[in-house]
């Protein structure tokens, strides 16, 4: 059985809804934590709220939701305030300030928990992975509908976060990228900062009991970080992060009840699998993002390397024709001069032959008219750059070849004309070799 045969829309549906509400609420604010380089603030808050929880336990002598929520929110807000105070007063970076605050408060919370352990019912597992599977069991009646209490709470938190992002998007954007400019435009970026930190604390606390530390931290950072790799526009980044958070929550629960059965187990932690799903989505984004993906970048670099090798080959063929028009080099001759590897050179020669820039006569190659025209422009770019580097950069003729060799591959006709205009008119480069004309001469 895959696990989906036992799917119950009432139980599993509410679990997924709760996970989505938590994930999207966290991701909305997480975008600005990522942009502000404060990614670990969510983790800091979820650790530092422990003394607030312990104080609520000690005062109420129970795990009543309201005292626990208030105590945790107060501790979370104090974490943000103390972090900012230490950063400003102690002149240390944000990461160090977070480390000082959350470790100190977490340690204080542990001491308080130990003192309260005899008369407070505290489940350590709740701290790590929450109890999202029990979401449908704790319901409240609204308009005749039994709705899980957590869903109601997280819906309110999501609405507050969404309205905050919508109405203060400009202020959040300015204060994230340039706090000084934000202040000069008429509003205090510090107020926006503390408002964001307060909402982060409230969101973390509202989600903490249900999904635990793991999922809260993951959803604050992973979907926004993945979205950051997929786009350069803030509005699009926010939308993508919410979509990724929704996918992670839904696929995480489905995976929690299906994947373990592949290995002979019944199920696993839903919150943990949601975090794993978010991590997998980030991995996909990191590998295949259109501009910044690892695989995409490697492919782009390889294509550029092949393009440069192809241009190096036809430029070398042009220079060979200049010195010895009768010589028709083979692949080995070209490879030895260019210090290139056998396979890339052979593949590039086939490509150039197929596209009509080289002609192949029993393994000996010769430029076609199309290839010769392209090669002439490359050699012209190279020698104009050498002339420019000597005349304007003051470089010696012995040191200009490598620089010109790099620049020739990124020089178009407009730039060649500019180089020609900005240098003293001459038909020779600093080594005395002729600078080919732009157009073919008969």
């Amino acid at each position: 059985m895959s696990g989906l045969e036992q799917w119950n829309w009432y139980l599993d549906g509410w679990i997924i809804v709760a996970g989505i509400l938590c994930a999207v609420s966290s991701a909305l604010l997480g975008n600005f934590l990522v942009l502000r380089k404060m990614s670990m603030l969510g983790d800091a808050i979820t650790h530092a709220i422990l003394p607030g929880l312990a104080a609520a336990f000690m005062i109420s002598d129970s795990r009543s939701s309201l005292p626990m929520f208030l105590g945790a929110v107060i501790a979370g807000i104090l974490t943000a305030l103390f972090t900012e105070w230490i950063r400003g007063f102690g002149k240390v970076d944000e990461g160090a300030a977070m480390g000082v605050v959350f470790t100190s408060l977490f340690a204080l919370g542990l001491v308080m928990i130990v003192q309260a352990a005899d008369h407070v019912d505290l489940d350590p597992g709740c701290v790590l992975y929450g109890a999202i599977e029990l979401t449908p069991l704790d319901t409240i009646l609204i308009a005749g509908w039994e709705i899980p209490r957590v869903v109601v709470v997280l819906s309110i938190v999501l609405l507050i976060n969404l309205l905050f992002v919508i109405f203060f998007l400009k202020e959040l954007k300015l204060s994230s990228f340039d706090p000084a400019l934000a202040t000069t435009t008429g509003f205090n970026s510090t107020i926006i900062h503390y408002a964001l930190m307060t909402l982060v604390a409230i969101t973390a606390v509202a989600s903490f009991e249900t999904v635990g530390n793991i999922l809260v931290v993951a959803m604050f950072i992973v979907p926004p970080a993945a979205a950051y790799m997929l786009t350069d526009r803030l509005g699009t980044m926010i939308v993508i992060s919410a979509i990724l958070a929704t996918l992670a929550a839904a696929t995480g629960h489905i995976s929690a009840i299906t994947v373990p059965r592949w290995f002979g187990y019944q199920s696993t932690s839903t919150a943990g699998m949601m975090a794993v799903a978010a991590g997998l989505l980030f991995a996909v984004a990191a590998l295949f993002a259109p501009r910044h993906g690892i695989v995409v970048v490697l492919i782009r670099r390889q294509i550029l390397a092949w393009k440069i090798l192809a241009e190096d080959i036809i430029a070398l063929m042009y220079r060979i024709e200049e010195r010895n028009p009768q010589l028709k080099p083979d692949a080995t001759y070209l490879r030895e001069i260019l210090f290139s590897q056998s396979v890339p050179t052979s593949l590039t020669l086939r490509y150039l032959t197929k596209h009509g820039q080289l002609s192949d006569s029993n393994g000996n190659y010769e430029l076609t008219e199309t290839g010769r025209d392209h090669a002439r422009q490359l050699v012209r770019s190279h020698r104009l750059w050498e002339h420019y580097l000597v005349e304007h950069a003051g470089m010696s003729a012995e040191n200009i070849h490598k620089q010109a060799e790099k620049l020739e591959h990124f020089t178009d006709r407009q730039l060649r004309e500019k180089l020609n205009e900005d240098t003293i008119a001459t038909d020779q480069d600093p080594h005395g070799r002729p600078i080919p004309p732009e157009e073919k001469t008969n």
Side-chain angles (χ1 to χ4, degrees):
M1 295 178 64
S2 65
L4 292 179
E5 293 85 349
Q6 299 180 359
W7 182 273
N8 184 302
W9 280 108
Y10 179 80
L11 298 177
D12 296 292
W14 280 126
I15 291 172
I16 289 180
V17 169
I20 290 174
L21 290 172
C22 168
V24 176
S25 299
S26 302
L28 286 175
L29 303 180
N31 288 282
F32 303 99
L33 296 181
V34 170
L35 293 175
R36 290 164 179 256
K37 296 180 173 58
M38 300 174 64
S39 298
M40 294 310 295
L41 183 65
D43 185 41
I45 288 176
T46 55
H47 282 81
I49 63 176
L50 193 57
L53 292 172
F57 291 154
M58 296 175 73
I59 293 172
S60 65
D61 199 27
S62 72
R63 289 178 58 184
S64 178
S65 298
L66 183 59
M68 182 183 71
F69 182 81
L70 293 176
V73 168
I74 292 172
I77 294 173
L78 288 176
T79 301
L81 293 175
F82 288 155
T83 299
E84 187 66 18
W85 179 75
I86 291 176
R87 186 191 66 80
F89 182 78
K91 305 298 181 184
V92 297
D93 65 73
E94 196 85 38
M98 276 187 232
V100 170
V101 172
F102 99 74
T103 52
S104 300
L105 290 179
F106 187 63
L108 175 62
L110 289 176
V111 172
M112 296 173 67
I113 288 294
V114 169
Q115 294 301 314
D118 292 337
H119 57 89
V120 173
D121 176 23
L122 178 64
D123 179 10
C126 179
V127 175
L128 287 178
Y129 47 81
I132 194 171
E133 294 85 357
L134 304 179
T135 293
L137 303 182
D138 182 10
T139 61
I140 57 178
L141 195 65
I142 299 179
W145 292 80
E146 285 192 356
I147 300 176
R149 177 181 56 83
V150 169
V151 170
V152 175
V153 172
L154 291 177
S155 296
I156 295 172
V157 172
L158 174 58
L159 180 61
I160 293 172
N161 290 352
L162 183 60
L163 292 175
F164 176 71
V165 170
I166 291 174
F167 288 112
F168 296 98
L169 180 60
K170 182 182 73 174
E171 290 81 1
L172 286 165
K173 185 188 300 184
L174 281 174
S175 59
S176 296
F177 291 106
D178 194 339
L181 177 62
T183 301
T184 60
T185 58
F187 68 90
N188 193 334
S189 61
T190 304
I191 295 177
I192 295 295
H193 173 80
Y194 283 127
L196 176 63
M197 296 306 102
T198 300
L199 288 178
V200 168
I202 292 173
T203 303
V205 172
S207 307
F208 191 80
E209 181 182 8
T210 303
V211 300
N213 178 283
I214 295 175
L215 187 58
V216 175
V217 176
M219 293 307 176
F220 267 129
I221 304 307
V222 181
Y228 184 74
M229 302 187 71
L230 295 171
T231 181
D232 295 324
R233 298 181 65 86
L234 178 57
T236 307
M237 175 180 169
I238 294 172
V239 173
I240 292 176
S241 69
I243 293 172
L244 293 177
T246 301
L247 288 175
T251 58
H253 179 61
I254 294 172
S255 300
I257 61 178
T258 57
V259 174
R261 293 175 181 270
W262 301 348
F263 305 97
Y265 301 100
Q266 290 298 312
S267 63
T268 188
S269 166
T270 291
M273 283 302 292
M274 288 180 178
V276 170
L280 292 176
L281 290 173
F282 175 82
V284 172
L287 290 172
F288 302 107
R291 291 186 59 187
H292 309 294
I294 296 173
V295 173
V296 174
V297 170
L298 289 175
I299 293 173
R300 193 181 297 129
R301 287 178 179 174
Q302 188 59 58
I303 292 173
L304 178 60
W306 284 335
K307 175 180 178 291
I308 290 175
L309 177 58
E311 292 183 345
D312 284 343
I313 287 174
I314 61 173
L316 176 58
M317 295 283 292
Y318 185 91
R319 294 184 177 95
I320 291 173
E321 281 191 357
E322 283 184 321
R323 295 193 299 267
N324 185 1
Q326 305 303 317
L327 178 61
K328 294 180 175 56
D330 59 10
T332 302
Y333 183 89
L334 295 171
R335 188 172 66 248
E336 289 176 351
I337 295 178
L338 294 173
F339 298 102
S340 58
Q341 296 179 350
S342 176
V343 173
T345 303
S346 299
L347 292 175
T348 305
L349 287 170
R350 290 181 186 177
Y351 173 85
L352 291 170
T353 303
K354 181 179 179 181
H355 286 77
Q357 299 199 52
L358 292 179
S359 61
D360 181 4
S361 177
N362 297 322
N364 297 101
Y365 296 92
E366 184 179 5
L367 286 170
T368 63
E369 287 302 318
T370 302
R372 189 172 292 108
D373 185 60
H374 188 189
R376 185 183 65 255
Q377 294 170 6
L378 286 167
V379 174
R380 175 174 171 79
S381 299
H382 182 99
R383 292 175 183 174
L384 282 173
W385 272 115
E386 288 187 329
H387 186 32
Y388 181 88
L389 290 171
V390 169
E391 183 176 325
H392 290 278
M395 297 178 66
S396 65
E398 292 76 17
N399 300 323
I400 57 177
H401 178 73
K402 289 185 178 180
Q403 294 296 329
E405 192 173 31
K406 295 176 182 178
L407 295 168
E408 70 182 52
H409 299 289
F410 307 97
T411 305
D412 57 13
R413 178 167 184 162
Q414 183 178 1
L415 183 53
R416 285 195 296 272
E417 291 176 354
K418 182 67 175 173
L419 289 170
N420 193 45
E421 292 173 3
D422 290 348
T423 52
I424 298 174
T426 179
D427 59 357
Q428 292 185 336
D429 70 3
H431 301 100
R433 296 170 300 196
I435 298 177
E438 184 67 40
E439 301 292 345
K440 177 182 178 182
T441 57
N442 295 322

